Amino acid sequence: MAPAQLQHRRTHNLLLIKKLLDCRDNASPFTLVIDSLAQGARHLLREVIVRGKKSKTRTIYLSFETLKIPTGVDVSVPAHSLDVQGLQRELSRHLKDPQQRSILIFDSLNIFLHYPSVSPELPSILSSLISPSTSLVAVYHSDVPVPHDATSYSPSSLTLLKYLATTIITTHSLTHVLAAKQARQRSLAEPVFGLAEEKEGIIVGLGSNDRRGTVIEMEYRRKSGRAVHELFFLPRRRSKATDSLQGKGAFIENIMLLDDHPRYKVAGAEGFDLTSPGAGEGEGIDSTFNLGLTERQRRDREGVVLPYFDAQNEGGVGEGGRILYEMGVEDDFDEEEDEI
Amino acid sequence: MSAEKALPPLLTQYLRLPPEVSLSLVTSVLGASANWVLERYLIAALAGPSRHGEETEAGAGEDTRVVLVSWMSNWDSWRTEIRRTSGLDIAKLAQQHRFAFVDGLTGLLDSSNHRVPTKEEYSSGEIPIKQSPQSIRSPGTTPTVLNMSPIDPAPRKQGNLSPGPPELKQDSRSASIRRPVKLPAENGRYVLSSDSLISLENTTLRAKEFVTATQASSEDSKEPRVLLILDQPDLLLSTTQDPSKCFPALLSTITALSQLQYVQATVVGVGADPHLTAAATAELDREEAAIRAFSPLESHHSAFLMSLAHRARVVFQLRRLESGWASDVSGVLRVSPGGAWDSGDEEVASNEGVEGQEKEMLYCVKADGSVKVFERGAGGVG
């Protein structure tokens, strides 16, 4: 990839993801975070909370499955003990003030979908929560089955959520991403982890929930409908030690493009890129032959009509055999041979 | 001491109680039972004070009590097994209010009570407690007002949590009379009278009250810490008639139980056999057709299992040896960080090291109940 293009991506996409994680200017009203046991979304949610605190946005945390609410949350709602109506009442109480910007965090949509009467009405429930001052960040565990009415024609919940979301963030483990890249470089099948291994008794793969940080795959949908796709790496924050060093409230911007991650760069040599596969194709083959074509050779080759095209033209079947030969200048016409 | 010997050195770091409220998941498959891991958790918690009598730093010597809810074995088998492996007598510990046992198996399929509470009934608290008032207000326990943990400011079923005698309906009184085993509550043994989740929650609550009851009288100000062990609650999914109602309610019951006051850690043992996880695997691959083909039990069990794994700080996965049977290896134990391993950065600096590190080990359960845990390739030495 050209360095200028990378630089361009770096500036634009980093700005974009920062805007998304900050939930600034209502950049994405509904962010869907798809995680799995390979890399949970907790770290990402904490990052959203930290950034919310920095930008003085109120964070409302709906805990369906979190036992210990992360620090820095302004309002926590014990959603696991409420039913849908109770939840809506509780939320409308917190979202009264339209001036106050808030981020609503669902720590798991899967359990929510199991509530009676939620599954079919999910779009209306979710959109009732979104307002110009409120954005929604919801986690969906891709490996937890949710109920689906087999008789109905309605799409599955995940399909629906993906359709509704303005941004889809998928989390990956750095270990797994590096292993997959290395395998690709050697044209090997990419390794699978966890449940996908389909080994008896394994639900969490080796290298899951990487301690170094989270690989984030972002798909941001612009208003025009065009999607921006990018991979980032979000390192873990070094807790209190750094806090006390920097003074309270110091905030270090640490998200980077995955391509800039030192380990990822090493894992893949030049010319292979996840976002545009095949960019480096045809280059870098060392041989004494010239395998390429010149422009003229290529045009000539395209101009050749292959015999089976001709056979399809007229009659075709049942017309008998024909010899198709166009004489070149160097050919010597032999009459005797023609008479045979 | 033999209790100390019963704990494999490689595992001790994982069996220590975590610094904060958390959940651990132990998955097993047919042929690689999770029983010994749960036992080791129990032994590590109960043998604690005698082991760390001198060094009380880092909470190691703190008073830990255990509530064991088992759907797989009864009191006698647990008692024999634990005495055999560690020399600890759980009956004696129960007398000291350090251990309580809830039997989920014996009364589970009591034919007088087959109705499953729905989620609505469950959350509105319509279902009364199916225990006799005498057993709820036992003379040994002081009737203190129960406190939910501060995380849960609005506990549902406030009425049911009050220690006063609950209003009993006609049918539930007959159910309580027909309970197969009637035990006085002071000895720390309880029996779940049905598969209702309300009775599970209330009985566990009383068991927890029982183990923390001595706290009020003792003069030291140290708070007791309770380890809650749930042995195969997934049995409830297969015994109820409507698993789709049962599974989210069971999850929220487990969440509520693990957030009770003093409950420091919850350990849940669940089966993870291939057919029980197949629905989750298909979900991951987005095989739409395959997802629909699963039976309700399959999909709910795997949803239950995966949801727990997402809540867990650490996941112990037991499986058989891939290469087949061996006389000196019973199976493989993989310890992985679960979905909630990273609950905050505060403790990262201190804990970044051994605790929660993923690891794969081999284990061997011997005939005398002792367990050897060793790295791959390090077996056969002893």
Side-chain angles (χ1 to χ4, degrees):
Chain A
M1 174 166 296
Q5 208 181 337
L6 184 65
Q7 187 57 42
H8 177 85
R9 264 176 54 208
R10 200 175 283 144
T11 21
H12 279 253
N13 293 346
L14 279 180
L15 263 180
L16 182 60
I17 190 84
K18 281 173 198 163
K19 209 165 97 173
L20 288 175
L21 292 179
D22 286 352
C23 293
R24 222 186 298 152
D25 322 324
N26 215 2
S28 165
F30 176 27
T31 308
L32 178 67
V33 181
I34 300 176
D35 78 341
S36 66
L37 276 182
Q39 186 77 38
R42 295 279 169 101
H43 168 223
L44 179 66
L45 291 186
R46 266 211 335 276
E47 185 71 20
V48 171
I49 292 163
V50 168
R51 283 163 184 268
K53 205 148 195 67
K54 186 197 69 171
S55 59
K56 305 264 187 303
T57 312
R58 200 167 48 141
T59 42
I60 302 172
Y61 194 95
L62 279 80
S63 71
F64 287 93
E65 59 164 41
T66 314
L67 293 180
K68 183 178 171 278
I69 305 294
T71 44
V73 170
D74 295 306
V75 183
S76 74
V77 180
H80 63 86
S81 61
L82 297 169
D83 57 356
V84 182
Q85 283 79 28
L87 196 68
Q88 279 174 326
R89 237 177 294 131
E90 187 80 1
L91 285 178
S92 58
R93 206 161 59 78
H94 292 302
L95 296 173
K96 261 191 310 217
D97 183 9
Q99 301 304 315
Q100 172 72 49
R101 282 196 297 128
S102 345
I103 310 171
L104 212 60
I105 299 174
F106 277 72
D107 72 347
S108 163
L109 278 177
N110 302 65
I111 289 300
F112 192 49
L113 286 166
H114 272 285
Y115 284 20
S117 80
V118 162
S119 201
E121 289 171 26
L122 188 71
S124 60
I125 291 174
L126 289 181
S127 54
S128 72
L129 298 173
I130 300 167
S131 73
S133 62
T134 313
S135 39
L136 191 66
V137 177
V139 178
Y140 182 93
H141 303 313
S142 58
D143 44 11
V144 180
V146 292
H148 189 272
D149 191 359
T151 53
S152 79
Y153 292 98
S154 59
S156 72
S157 311
L158 182 59
T159 314
L160 205 59
L161 285 169
K162 276 185 172 167
Y163 178 74
L164 290 173
T166 44
T167 306
I168 299 172
I169 289 177
T170 316
T171 57
H172 301 280
S173 157
L174 181 62
T175 314
H176 297 175
V177 169
L178 291 178
K181 180 167 184 187
Q182 258 157 12
R184 268 200 310 272
Q185 300 270 286
R186 294 172 194 169
S187 300
L188 297 170
E190 290 180 23
V192 288
F193 298 93
L195 275 177
E197 290 175 50
E198 302 202 18
K199 262 196 219 167
E200 183 189 63
I202 288 184
I203 56 172
V204 187
L206 287 175
S208 296
N209 288 315
D210 203 298
R211 287 178 168 261
R212 289 167 285 187
T214 308
V215 175
I216 295 174
E217 187 181 347
M218 173 201 74
E219 187 188 329
Y220 172 67
R221 284 136 182 208
R222 294 188 188 172
K223 289 210 175 69
S224 63
R226 210 178 78 105
V228 184
H229 185 268
E230 185 58 85
L231 287 158
F232 300 97
F233 178 67
L234 182 67
R236 285 182 77 200
R237 295 194 176 278
R238 310 299 302 186
S239 68
K240 276 185 176 160
T242 34
D243 264 10
S244 53
L245 273 177
Q246 308 279 328
K248 203 70 192 164
F251 180 83
I252 315 146
E253 200 59 72
N254 56 358
I255 193 161
M256 58 169 107
L257 288 189
L258 184 60
D259 286 340
D260 289 341
H261 191 272
R263 293 288 299 277
Y264 192 75
K265 264 192 215 160
V266 175
E270 282 293 292
F272 203 97
D273 177 30
L274 258 185
T275 50
S276 54
E281 201 183 322
E283 287 168 16
I285 301 171
D286 278 332
S287 75
T288 51
F289 303 97
N290 182 11
L291 293 170
L293 294 169
T294 64
E295 190 57 26
R296 187 169 162 272
Q297 285 168 325
R298 199 175 58 79
R299 244 184 298 127
D300 286 351
R301 200 164 76 163
E302 277 169 10
V304 175
V305 179
L306 295 170
Y308 49 82
F309 283 118
D310 184 84
Q312 284 163 4
N313 274 346
E314 54 212 58
V317 189
E319 210 191 49
R322 265 189 307 154
I323 296 167
L324 296 171
Y325 186 72
E326 278 174 38
M327 285 219 300
V329 274
E330 64 277 7
D331 275 330
D332 183 20
F333 185 71
D334 190 349
E335 276 185 26
E336 286 177 11
E337 197 178 313
D338 198 42
E339 279 167 12
I340 295 166
Chain B
M1 188 175 169
S2 62
E4 202 167 342
K5 246 186 265 168
L7 300 172
L10 274 178
L11 275 191
T12 44
Q13 63 189 36
Y14 297 105
L15 298 177
R16 217 175 286 145
L17 279 201
E20 59 187 18
V21 177
S22 73
L23 191 136
S24 310
L25 179 68
V26 183
T27 70
S28 56
V29 295
L30 197 67
S33 154
N35 234 27
W36 68 270
V37 180
L38 299 181
E39 255 168 46
R40 291 319 180 271
Y41 256 109
L42 199 152
I43 294 164
L46 289 177
S50 57
R51 269 195 309 151
H52 302 276
E54 303 85 46
E55 33 140 358
T56 47
E57 46 81 41
E62 267 176 49
D63 200 359
T64 314
R65 287 103 195 267
V66 178
V67 175
L68 169 65
V69 189
S70 179
W71 281 270
M72 273 296 136
S73 345
N74 59 9
W75 164 268
D76 290 327
S77 85
W78 275 101
R79 186 181 174 190
T80 332
E81 192 61 21
I82 286 170
R83 192 165 25 192
R84 196 164 67 108
T85 53
S86 68
L88 291 172
D89 186 2
I90 52 175
K92 208 184 278 173
L93 289 162
Q95 274 170 12
Q96 299 165 4
H97 285 258
R98 294 194 53 212
F99 177 79
F101 179 77
V102 180
D103 186 345
L105 180 67
T106 318
L108 182 66
L109 297 175
D110 186 1
S111 56
S112 69
N113 199 335
H114 256 299
R115 210 169 67 84
V116 184
T118 60
K119 176 84 185 172
E120 292 84 42
E121 284 173 327
Y122 179 74
S123 50
S124 66
E126 268 173 33
I127 297 169
I129 303 167
K130 293 178 188 67
Q131 294 286 344
S132 61
Q134 286 81 10
S135 63
I136 288 169
R137 207 193 235 168
S138 60
T141 50
T142 42
T144 45
V145 177
L146 307 177
N147 297 318
M148 298 295 279
S149 72
I151 294 168
D152 193 352
R156 76 221 124 123
K157 309 174 299 294
Q158 193 69 282
N160 277 348
L161 293 178
S162 71
E167 30 170 8
L168 289 170
K169 283 183 184 168
Q170 208 58 25
D171 60 328
S172 64
R173 184 173 294 136
S174 64
S176 70
I177 289 163
R178 289 190 56 180
R179 260 189 310 147
V181 190
K182 202 156 192 173
L183 293 161
E186 304 100 273
N187 64 2
R189 286 156 67 178
Y190 303 85
V191 177
L192 291 181
S193 56
S194 69
D195 56 2
S196 111
L197 295 171
I198 296 288
S199 94
L200 163 64
E201 188 161 347
N202 283 303
T203 314
T204 313
L205 207 62
R206 283 189 295 124
K208 194 217 77 173
E209 280 289 287
F210 171 80
V211 291
T212 53
T214 51
Q215 183 55 29
S217 56
S218 66
E219 61 282 344
D220 62 39
S221 56
K222 234 189 262 171
E223 290 207 335
R225 303 190 305 169
V226 176
L227 171 70
L228 178 64
I229 302 178
L230 305 175
D231 179 24
Q232 311 260 299
D234 47 335
L235 182 64
L236 287 177
L237 293 180
S238 31
T239 52
T240 53
Q241 283 152 341
D242 192 355
S244 64
K245 293 264 168 42
C246 181
F247 139 70
L250 183 58
L251 269 180
S252 79
T253 306
I254 291 176
T255 312
L257 288 177
S258 54
Q259 287 187 337
L260 290 175
Q261 196 190 17
Y262 301 136
V263 173
Q264 183 86 16
T266 310
V267 182
V268 190
V270 178
D273 295 273
H275 59 281
L276 297 175
T277 56
T281 312
E283 183 78 19
L284 202 61
D285 301 340
R286 307 294 316 147
E287 290 171 25
E288 203 76 27
I291 292 167
R292 285 159 198 242
F294 286 110
S295 71
L297 181 59
E298 279 172 316
S299 64
H300 286 109
H301 190 286
S302 57
F304 178 68
L305 173 70
M306 297 311 284
S307 301
L308 280 177
H310 273 282
R311 281 150 207 244
R313 182 189 177 85
V314 59
V315 184
F316 287 76
Q317 299 160 87
L318 291 153
R319 62 178 200 268
R320 287 181 297 180
L321 205 58
E322 280 99 13
S323 48
W325 187 85
S327 61
D328 53 350
V329 183
S330 309
V332 188
L333 168 66
R334 181 188 284 186
V335 188
S336 301
W341 70 274
D342 181 15
S343 53
D345 1 31
E346 276 73 22
E347 80 271 41
V348 170
S350 57
N351 278 358
E352 191 111 50
V354 277
E355 201 245 342
Q357 204 74 263
E358 81 175 356
K359 203 167 194 174
E360 196 162 273
M361 298 160 273
L362 302 178
Y363 70 92
C364 178
V365 183
K366 305 224 177 77
D368 61 347
S370 66
V371 174
K372 204 176 84 170
V373 177
F374 49 95
E375 304 265 8
R376 262 179 210 280
V381 183

